[in-house]
Amino acid sequence: MSEQTFSEWLRQQCEPEWTAVVTHPFATAITEGTVAGDDMRRYLEQDFQFVDSFTALLGAAVAAADTFEARVPYGTFLGQVATTEEKTYFHRALAELGGRTEVPLEPVTAAFRRLMDEVRVSQDYLLIAAVLCVAEWCYLGWASRAAGPPPESFVHREWIELHEGEEFRAWVAFLRGELDRLGEGLGEERRREVLGVFRRAVELELAFFDMAAG
């Protein structure tokens, strides 16, 4: 990996899929506020199905992290997801769009939940951090590409704001930093194991946007 950080090496190994996620037409349409109501409803209904598994994965990160300094950011973000920002947004947005919080899972949604649950049960901190990093870093990737005035609809605007801004950038930087710290001195076999999980998460992110786009 020479002078490359571990997180950057992982990301580059997942091209062109990574770029396809952060530049996905559906994600771009969110930043422009042009996603049709029914399409945004379906997308958010499916995305809400991750909240429980994602919350559990954050809890696993708190338990599995190897330092107190790492546990604190996970615990802080866990509180935001479970009690305030994202859950509150979902309920308001789905109410606005006439959506539901309980819907049948699309195949890609079920597959992504299985991946989250697998790494949670493993209690392997490096693999947990890898899945969390993909989920958050790639969303920062598309949200940070927003240009022009923010969309008028809060459904689009607040979804972008949840995945952009100083606090979210710091959160993603923390996740990347943990991968970089943990990745130092890893043997080839272990690096490839982490890459396999990281790549699978990227592929599922891309498939999820493809599903949303119809």
Side-chain angles (χ1 to χ4, degrees):
M1 291 185 293
S2 66
E3 298 303 316
Q4 242 181 1
T5 64
F6 187 48
S7 61
E8 182 60 23
W9 178 78
L10 290 168
R11 187 195 67 78
Q12 289 191 7
Q13 294 299 305
C14 294
E15 292 291 1
E17 289 81 4
W18 182 276
T19 295
V21 173
V22 301
T23 63
H24 198 283
F26 190 88
T28 299
I30 294 175
T31 67
E32 295 171 346
T34 58
V35 178
D38 284 347
D39 293 336
M40 194 69 181
R41 173 188 53 75
R42 179 167 173 258
Y43 164 72
L44 290 177
E45 284 178 336
Q46 291 298 313
D47 204 288
F48 184 77
Q49 307 314 307
F50 295 126
V51 170
D52 183 60
S53 292
F54 189 75
T55 301
L57 191 58
L58 287 168
V62 174
D66 59 340
T67 68
F68 173 76
E69 290 75 17
R71 296 184 205 278
V72 172
Y74 289 119
T76 300
F77 196 78
L78 175 59
Q80 293 174 347
V81 171
T83 62
T84 55
E85 294 177 3
E86 287 205 32
K87 188 174 181 181
T88 300
Y89 165 82
F90 274 117
H91 285 294
R92 288 187 296 114
L94 289 174
E96 176 72 14
L97 297 169
R100 297 172 295 160
T101 56
E102 295 185 15
V103 295
L105 301 184
E106 293 286 346
V108 64
T109 309
F112 212 153
R113 288 211 324 196
R114 282 196 301 271
L115 177 62
M116 290 183 185
D117 292 343
E118 286 169 10
V119 298
R120 172 181 56 80
V121 170
S122 77
Q123 286 293 296
D124 187 322
Y125 178 45
L126 188 50
L127 300 186
I128 291 169
V131 172
L132 288 171
C133 190
V134 170
E136 304 294 63
W137 190 8
C138 71
Y139 264 56
L140 173 63
W142 67 256
S144 64
R145 292 171 56 85
E152 291 185 9
S153 169
F154 84 87
V155 172
H156 300 89
R157 184 182 66 255
E158 291 187 19
W159 190 238
I160 299 165
E161 292 170 350
L162 281 170
H163 301 103
E164 229 287 290
E166 184 177 347
E167 287 188 8
F168 195 76
R169 287 176 179 270
W171 166 239
V172 172
F174 162 73
L175 293 172
R176 290 190 59 188
E178 285 297 278
L179 287 182
D180 296 339
R181 177 177 68 84
L182 296 165
E184 283 190 20
L186 288 182
E188 181 66 18
E189 183 176 352
R190 181 61 164 160
R191 285 203 305 271
R192 292 292 169 183
E193 180 185 15
V194 178
L195 175 60
V197 169
F198 193 95
R199 177 178 284 132
R200 181 62 179 147
V202 173
E203 291 170 346
L204 287 168
E205 289 286 4
L206 178 57
F208 192 77
F209 272 133
D210 285 345
M211 175 277 299

